[in-house]
Amino acid sequence: MERRHVAVVTGANRGLGRAVAKALAERGYRVVGTVRDPATGAAMRDRFAADGLSFDAVAVDVTAPDAGARLAAAVPEGLDVLVNNAAVTFDGFDLGVVDRTLAANWYGAAAVVEALLPALREGGRVVNVSSGMADEASLPAALRAHFHDAAPERAGIDALVSAFRDGVAASGEPPEGWPRSAYRVSKLALNAFTRHVARAVADDPRGLRVNAVCPGWCRTGMGGPAAPRSVAQGTASILWGTEVPVGGPSGGFFRDGRAAQW
Ligand SMILES: NC(=O)c1ccc[n+]([C@@H]2O[C@H](COP(=O)([O-])OP(=O)(O)OC[C@H]3O[C@@H](n4cnc5c(N)ncnc54)[C@H](OP(=O)(O)O)[C@@H]3O)[C@@H](O)[C@H]2O)c1
């Protein structure tokens, strides 16, 4: 009998994460999704089951120190796809916004990838849901060089993120040349991390593929009702990353299956 594919989707209870979870379940995956509210998770599991779809909710906040371990424990058989989707954005700019944004979008996202990487099975795919807001081209050359040309590893990315955070802590404003957006910095870090992880697993015999994708500006809680793209369009852009073929791209950034500008 063919082995059942397993997918983990963070932020699965609404928006793009929920649509991705449903699409993967419809493709036959056993989907394990983070849903912070247990009652919502149970209701979602029942609704999926009523449609004959497999969904298991884990009440995990990706900022919790044990988030990765709890997700890994929820997929004892291993996994084939990780959609690293959970993220936040806030109005305003101050140290609180910076810390809450970085906790979920950078530190939480990176920890989930690191915890689940060993559990990925042959042909496994990691899809980091990023954003066109992580536009390196609009950064000053020196900063762009730190994020991109220097090809930082995890510690180097953490150091960059800390420099941003420390600047805000000192003056209330970002250091010179940095964007005045914790969300942008978090996704810049996630993109640099995508390249780092792809390099790190390049010779892994499992043939893993690790990419960042941008869903585009979509009509979700985060994107708001004025966004030009539907949830279906954003979902398709994310799902593309789960279907990268054997030997396909790794360490790239894609929108709608086409290379996007870093
Ligand atoms: N929508 C857009 O226009 C757009 C554009 C570019 C990129 N993106 C990216 O696409 C992804 C999905 O966005 P979306 O529009 O679907 O956002 P959304 O509707 O705001 O949904 C965000 C999801 O992330 C979850 N989440 C947030 N913080 C979490 C935490 N600490 N632990 C666990 N789950 C957490 C939320 O759970 P709760 O319900 O518990 O809060 C929710 O399920 C994000 O990575 C976002 O940056 C979106």
Side-chain angles (χ1 to χ4, degrees):
M1 206 177 79
E2 203 179 308
R3 186 180 74 184
R4 182 160 208 186
H5 284 85
V6 176
V8 170
V9 181
T10 63
N13 55 298
R14 60 187 169 95
L16 299 171
R18 184 185 173 103
V20 167
K22 182 140 191 286
L24 291 172
E26 284 168 350
R27 292 170 188 195
Y29 280 77
R30 177 172 101 79
V31 179
V32 174
T34 72
V35 181
R36 286 194 279 187
D37 173 47
T40 304
M44 209 175 142
R45 183 199 57 218
D46 292 348
R47 221 165 306 132
F48 272 52
D51 292 333
L53 304 176
S54 172
F55 180 81
D56 292 313
V58 279
V60 159
D61 186 313
V62 299
T63 66
D66 65 349
R70 290 188 53 207
L71 277 172
V75 287
E77 71 273 55
L79 74 162
D80 303 284
V81 161
L82 166 62
V83 181
N84 200 19
N85 165 81
V88 289
T89 185
F90 301 102
D91 292 334
F93 185 84
D94 59 27
L95 187 59
V97 164
V98 167
D99 281 341
R100 282 182 288 147
T101 306
L102 295 176
N105 301 11
W106 165 236
Y107 295 107
V112 166
V113 172
E114 286 175 341
L116 291 182
L117 213 48
L120 279 163
R121 303 193 285 205
E122 192 176 342
R125 305 297 180 250
V126 176
V127 185
N128 289 325
V129 183
S130 186
S131 165
M133 303 268 284
D135 174 14
E136 291 174 357
S138 63
L139 295 178
L143 197 50
R144 194 164 61 241
H146 283 311
F147 269 106
H148 202 122
D149 309 339
E153 301 192 351
R154 171 71 204 260
I157 303 167
D158 279 339
L160 284 166
V161 170
S162 292
F164 169 74
R165 193 264 174 203
D166 292 348
V168 179
S171 70
E173 291 296 325
E176 174 140 15
W178 285 79
R180 199 173 186 278
S181 162
Y183 181 81
R184 278 192 67 191
V185 172
S186 72
K187 297 295 190 181
L188 282 163
L190 186 63
N191 281 1
F193 184 63
T194 301
R195 296 188 292 262
H196 158 59
V197 175
R199 288 192 301 273
V201 301
D203 296 325
D204 191 297
R206 291 172 292 172
L208 306 179
R209 291 287 172 269
V210 182
N211 289 293
V213 298
C214 171
W217 183 19
C218 300
R219 293 185 290 277
T220 63
M222 182 182 288
R229 280 163 68 95
S230 66
V231 167
Q233 286 171 302
T235 300
S237 193
I238 295 170
L239 286 172
W240 179 87
T242 71
E243 295 166 341
V244 171
V246 174
S250 191
F253 183 31
F254 298 90
R255 183 185 297 115
D256 296 334
R258 288 184 292 279
Q261 177 169 290
W262 287 111

